[in-house]
Amino acid sequence: MSENTSGSGYVEAEFTRDSKYISDRITADGSSPWPVEPGRYRLVVARACPWANRAVIARRLLGLEDVISMGLCGPTHDERSWTFDLDPAGRDPVLGYERLQEAFLARDPGYSRGITVPTMVDVPSGAVVTNDFPQMTLDLSTQWTAHHREGAPDLYPEHLREEMDEVMERIYQEVNNGVYRCGFSGSQRAYDKAYDRLFTALDRLSDRLEHRRFLMGGQVTEADIRLFTTLARFDTVYHGHFKCNRQKLSEMPVLWAYARDLFQLPGFGDTIDFPQIKEHYYVVHADINPTQIIPQGPDTSGWLMQHNRDQLSDRPWGDGTPPPPPPAGERVPADHGPGGIGHR
C-alpha cells in the first residue's frame, strides 16, 4: 500500500488507482454535517506522500496552521495503515491513535478500503471526515476564507477555475498518476505505453511554461501545487524506482527551472523531506525493490541553484504576500533538505 494505491489493481497489466474516497466536505454554508470550525479538525499527513504534500503546502500558504492542526505519520507503513511512529510513544498527541486506521474505523467499524493520507479527522469524535484529497485542498481555499491569513494568495481564482480544472485534471491523469502508471505496470507493453504518455505530458507542460512563470500565468495557484509535488520527487524516486528515466528532471531545462523556482518560494521547498520520501518508496514498495535498500543519492543541492524565472513575473503571490516561516514543530530537519544526507 502506498499513499493512495491501496485497492489499486491491474487491468490488462495496467495500473489503476482506487479513487473511491470518503467524500464528505467541510463547508462554510451549512451544506454538510461538517461545519468550518477552528480547532475542530486535524489534518493527518505524511511528508513522503505527494498527495498529502499538496494539503501541507496549501494549508501553509493560506495561513491555516493555527486553525487546522496537523498530525504527521512516519514515512513507512504496513498493510494495515500509516502509523504515528514519529511521535513520542508512537501515538498522535491529539488523537491518541497509534494508527491512522483507528480514525477510519471510528467512522465506519467495517471500513475495508485504503487507509490514505491526507485525511481530515474530526477531533471530538476521532472519526475521519474525508480523505478526498483533490477536493480537500480546494475547500481549504474556498470554504476556510474567513480564517485565511492576511495576505493569503488566491490559489483558486474564480475567473480561472474552468481552465484550471482542465489543467489540473490533465496533470493528475498524465503526470501525478502517470509516474505510478509507469512504476506499477504489470507488463512491458503497459509500461511502454505509460512511459510515452508521461513524457508526452511533461513535454507539453514544458512548452506551456516556457514563457509564463507559473501554470496559470504570473502567480502561484493550486495547479502549481499539484504539479510541484510530483516534480519534487522525480529525480529522487520516480526516475529510478518507477523507471521514468527518459530524462531526469534536472535534464529538462524549463521544468527544472520552474520546479526550482517553486522550491525556493516559502511554503514549497521547506515542506520537502528527501530522506522520508526515499525511505517510503524504497521500503514500502517491496515488490519493486525487494531488498528495501535506500539509495544514498541523488545530490539534491541543485534545488537551490538560481532559476531566473522571476524575469517572467515579479508577483508570485499576486496581491498577497509570502507565508511566514513554519511553526517550530512542523519544520523539516535541516539535513533532510537540499544537500542533506540523513536517513531516519
Side-chain angles (χ1 to χ4, degrees):
M1 180 175 91
S2 172
E3 298 103 24
N4 291 296
T5 61
S6 177
S8 302
Y10 296 91
V11 178
E12 297 181 352
E14 181 175 312
F15 169 76
T16 56
R17 181 177 298 280
D18 180 357
S19 57
K20 295 180 181 177
Y21 304 103
I22 297 174
S23 58
D24 287 10
R25 296 176 59 194
I26 300 169
T27 59
D29 62 3
S31 60
S32 82
W34 309 103
V36 165
E37 185 179 324
R40 177 170 176 175
Y41 304 102
R42 187 159 177 80
L43 175 65
V44 178
V45 300
R47 291 203 185 278
C49 171
W51 319 100
N53 197 176
R54 296 178 177 188
V56 175
I57 293 171
R59 171 179 172 270
R60 172 86 184 286
L61 298 185
L62 297 172
L64 293 171
E65 294 100 324
D66 293 334
V67 179
I68 303 170
S69 67
M70 187 169 76
L72 284 169
C73 297
T76 63
H77 55 69
D78 57 23
E79 68 281 356
R80 289 174 58 196
S81 178
W82 294 89
T83 59
F84 295 101
D85 56 305
L86 300 178
D87 290 308
R91 288 186 178 274
D92 180 85
V94 173
L95 301 173
Y97 292 152
E98 292 182 336
R99 293 176 172 274
L100 181 55
Q101 181 186 46
E102 295 172 68
F104 282 80
L105 295 178
R107 169 68 183 261
D108 176 5
Y111 187 83
S112 60
R113 303 190 71 83
I115 310 298
T116 63
V117 290
T119 293
M120 198 74 78
V121 180
D122 175 50
V123 174
S125 66
V128 169
V129 175
T130 181
N131 64 336
D132 186 351
F133 69 93
Q135 187 63 49
M136 192 182 301
T137 47
L138 296 181
D139 284 346
L140 291 179
S141 281
T142 61
Q143 303 301 309
W144 291 84
T145 53
H147 304 285
H148 289 177
R149 67 176 176 87
E150 184 178 355
D154 186 354
L155 298 177
Y156 195 41
E158 193 161 359
H159 69 287
L160 294 176
R161 288 181 188 178
E162 183 175 355
E163 182 185 1
M164 273 187 69
D165 288 344
E166 294 176 0
V167 169
M168 293 190 297
E169 179 63 18
R170 289 199 301 271
I171 288 171
Y172 169 71
Q173 294 292 348
E174 307 302 318
V175 180
N176 301 146
N177 201 40
V179 292
Y180 283 84
R181 197 179 292 114
C182 289
F184 288 105
S185 289
S187 73
Q188 187 69 50
R189 181 178 179 181
Y191 165 74
D192 291 346
K193 180 180 177 182
Y195 175 99
D196 291 342
R197 186 173 169 183
L198 169 65
F199 281 99
T200 295
L202 290 174
D203 288 342
R204 288 174 177 167
L205 286 166
S206 180
D207 290 344
R208 181 182 181 93
L209 288 162
E210 186 171 4
H211 300 296
R212 63 174 83 189
R213 186 172 179 183
F214 303 111
L215 284 167
M216 302 309 300
Q219 70 180 70
V220 166
T221 66
E222 167 96 11
D224 299 295
I225 296 173
R226 295 189 180 198
L227 181 56
F228 171 77
T229 59
T230 294
L231 297 183
R233 290 159 175 76
F234 200 90
D235 288 2
T236 304
V237 288
Y238 300 144
H239 177 269
H241 184 60
F242 277 179
K243 307 179 185 70
C244 302
N245 61 354
R246 189 191 76 179
Q247 293 160 289
K248 296 177 182 177
L249 175 66
S250 59
E251 296 167 345
M252 294 181 265
V254 173
L255 288 178
W256 177 222
Y258 163 78
R260 296 199 315 275
D261 184 6
L262 289 171
F263 190 96
Q264 293 171 32
L265 292 176
F268 282 87
D270 53 22
T271 70
I272 299 297
D273 188 314
F274 288 114
Q276 285 200 21
I277 289 169
K278 290 194 293 186
E279 185 174 355
H280 171 75
Y281 284 89
Y282 284 100
V283 171
V284 171
H285 299 157
D287 51 341
I288 298 177
N289 184 41
T291 64
Q292 298 180 304
I293 293 171
I294 304 169
Q296 291 194 40
D299 180 0
T300 56
S301 60
W303 282 100
L304 301 181
M305 291 169 50
Q306 187 174 358
H307 53 75
N308 297 319
R309 297 280 296 179
D310 48 356
Q311 296 176 9
L312 298 172
S313 165
D314 61 0
R315 298 176 66 247
W317 310 110
D319 294 329
T321 58
E330 296 183 6
R331 294 175 187 169
V332 174
D335 65 343
H336 284 207
I341 59 173
H343 292 323
R344 188 166 65 100

